[in-house]
Amino acid sequence: MTEKDILREKILHLKEKRNAIILAHNYQREEVQDIADYTGDSLELSRTAASIECDVIVFCGVNFMAESASILSPEKTVLLPEITACCPMADMITVSSARHLKTQFPGYHYTGGYKYPADFTLKDIKNLHPGVPVVTYVNTTADVKAESDICCTSANGVRIVESLDSNRVICVPDRNLSAWIAKNTSKEIISWDGFCHVHDRVTIDDITTARNEHPGALLLAHPECRIEVCERADHVTSTSGMLRFANSSDIKEFIIGTETGLLYKLRKDNPDKLFYPLRKDMVCPNMKKTTLHSVLHAMETMTYKIKVLEETRLPAKKSLDRMLAIK
Ligand code: 13P
Ligand code: SF4
């Protein structure tokens, strides 16, 4: 038996003993995706967390995802195997305590220019636009969700905005997702200035290079990519949207504009098709922190438990539930 086989056996044994379910985001390492009961995009995993019967959820992803699972299912124990697995974009917005972007990202060169002062908060943008509903991407902390009207994911952003009874909508924190939503709705979108460092690095030059290398391939892009990238893609969708699109397409080659972890499932589901990363360095270091070792450690020690205070959980759940109610 290999070391991986031994780890897998131990995890499966503990899964049974603890009545646990393992959820893994589509960006997780191959061996973690393989041990999971469910893999999916943020929306699918939220729906699963809300409906699944079990005592323990082991969430292989980043902290806001485990937090959402705990918000939706407070009676279950939710474990995040790697406590430092976070989403830098989620940390780009806070409710009221100012945090400076540059101190969060020492050495990260952001050339886009701020729309607001660096210590601007969600409360500030709400005060600037009183009465305008706030749509919050699930890539946020529980307290930001709690201060919002409704959540969205990359799979349903346009639908969520369209569902609101207002012609002006505040969208936080991803400026790229906001730009994509703005392009696909007639409503006025007031955007925050956050971004995902994995997707925001893609440029038009990357598209030119990839299309020259793979002239017959379709380009699928995630809406966390910049608007000029999305505008040049053949299809813009969430990670599971890409899986569905590629699985049902007659086309045999695809350039994939999202985190490279998705290539594993794309190739597994479509052995007759070819998938190329739009950029080989589209790797989210936080998504890659979770290993079979950390999953086993989480289940042996029942760490790290993710729990949200009731005063935050209840309003945050309202925002998530409103999103989940929209088909
Ligand atoms: P989806 O899988 O929902 O498209 O989200 C991408 C992502 O970046 C999650 O962190
Ligand atoms: Fe956050 Fe981007 Fe990593 Fe997703 S891929 S967790 S948005 S940094």
Side-chain angles (χ1 to χ4, degrees):
M1 274 223 286
T2 64
E3 195 205 351
K4 268 189 191 166
D5 291 336
I6 296 168
L7 286 168
R8 265 197 295 265
E9 255 190 22
K10 287 184 178 172
I11 291 170
L12 292 177
H13 169 73
L14 277 174
K15 218 163 69 81
E16 186 109 357
K17 187 173 155 195
R18 306 243 190 252
N19 189 24
I21 289 290
I22 301 177
L23 305 183
H25 187 265
N26 288 325
Y27 295 159
Q28 289 289 295
R29 291 169 184 270
E30 300 178 4
E31 61 273 24
V32 174
Q33 292 193 39
D34 281 342
I35 198 85
D37 296 285
Y38 298 92
T39 56
D41 65 10
S42 306
L43 183 60
E44 291 170 336
L45 294 177
S46 290
R47 286 194 193 282
T48 307
S51 62
I52 198 83
E53 296 277 336
C54 63
D55 294 323
V56 177
I57 294 177
V58 183
F59 212 120
C60 304
V62 292
N63 54 8
F64 75 81
M65 296 180 170
E67 228 180 39
S68 293
S70 183
I71 290 167
L72 292 166
S73 292
E75 71 291 352
K76 291 171 196 147
T77 301
V78 178
L79 302 179
L80 180 68
E82 288 290 337
I83 194 63
T84 62
C86 62
C87 171
M89 172 160 62
D91 291 335
M92 289 178 185
I93 186 162
T94 57
V95 172
S96 55
S97 64
R99 279 194 224 168
H100 197 288
L101 196 61
K102 277 183 191 149
T103 56
Q104 293 278 310
F105 293 92
Y108 188 84
H109 294 291
Y110 169 51
T111 53
Y114 299 114
K115 283 198 190 84
Y116 314 111
D119 58 356
F120 213 67
T121 68
L122 180 60
K123 284 232 159 100
D124 294 323
I125 196 169
K126 283 171 76 169
N127 287 339
L128 251 189
H129 306 283
V132 177
V134 178
V135 174
T136 289
Y137 194 26
V138 285
N139 298 39
T140 44
T141 56
D143 54 341
V144 170
K145 290 184 178 80
E147 281 290 323
S148 308
D149 294 276
I150 187 166
C151 289
C152 79
T153 72
S154 59
N156 62 13
V158 177
R159 246 180 4 257
I160 297 292
V161 164
E162 290 285 323
S163 76
L164 297 172
D165 188 19
S166 169
N167 284 327
R168 302 180 77 216
V169 177
I170 297 169
C171 286
V172 301
D174 186 7
R175 63 180 181 214
N176 294 332
L177 179 63
S178 300
W180 180 247
I181 293 172
K183 193 180 161 60
N184 288 283
T185 179
S186 55
K187 298 190 186 229
E188 183 193 340
I189 303 297
I190 300 158
S191 177
W192 194 256
D193 207 16
F195 59 92
C196 162
H197 67 108
V198 179
H199 291 84
D200 192 67
R201 70 183 61 161
V202 180
T203 64
I204 297 173
D205 285 350
D206 295 323
I207 296 183
T208 309
T209 308
R211 286 214 191 266
N212 284 341
E213 279 173 16
H214 312 291
L218 285 188
L219 170 62
L220 310 186
H222 195 278
E224 286 175 14
C225 292
R226 294 180 188 189
I227 189 70
E228 64 269 25
V229 170
C230 292
E231 281 169 348
R232 285 162 178 80
D234 297 298
H235 191 55
V236 177
T237 183
S238 71
T239 54
S240 289
M242 290 186 194
L243 281 164
R244 281 190 292 276
F245 187 91
N247 293 357
S248 64
S249 171
D250 293 333
I251 304 292
K252 297 284 182 205
E253 289 184 61
F254 299 87
I255 300 160
I256 301 300
T258 195
E259 212 272 355
T260 56
L262 186 68
L263 294 166
Y264 176 59
K265 187 117 201 296
L266 282 165
R267 288 173 178 150
K268 201 168 143 185
D269 289 356
N270 301 278
D272 59 325
K273 297 177 185 171
L274 294 169
F275 299 93
Y276 316 104
L278 177 51
R279 273 177 69 128
K280 290 198 177 102
D281 65 352
M282 292 185 76
V283 178
C284 176
N286 282 290
M287 282 285 184
K288 298 297 186 260
K289 282 181 179 167
T290 308
T291 63
L292 287 183
H293 279 286
S294 40
V295 175
L296 178 60
H297 180 260
M299 296 177 90
E300 279 172 345
T301 57
M302 294 297 281
T303 53
Y304 297 90
K305 290 195 179 92
I306 304 297
K307 199 94 193 128
V308 179
L309 287 177
E310 277 301 278
E311 67 204 58
T312 307
R313 189 186 75 78
L314 291 172
K317 184 169 185 297
K318 234 186 210 173
S319 296
L320 282 166
D321 282 343
R322 276 188 80 187
M323 169 185 86
L324 292 172
I326 291 170
K327 295 290 160 216

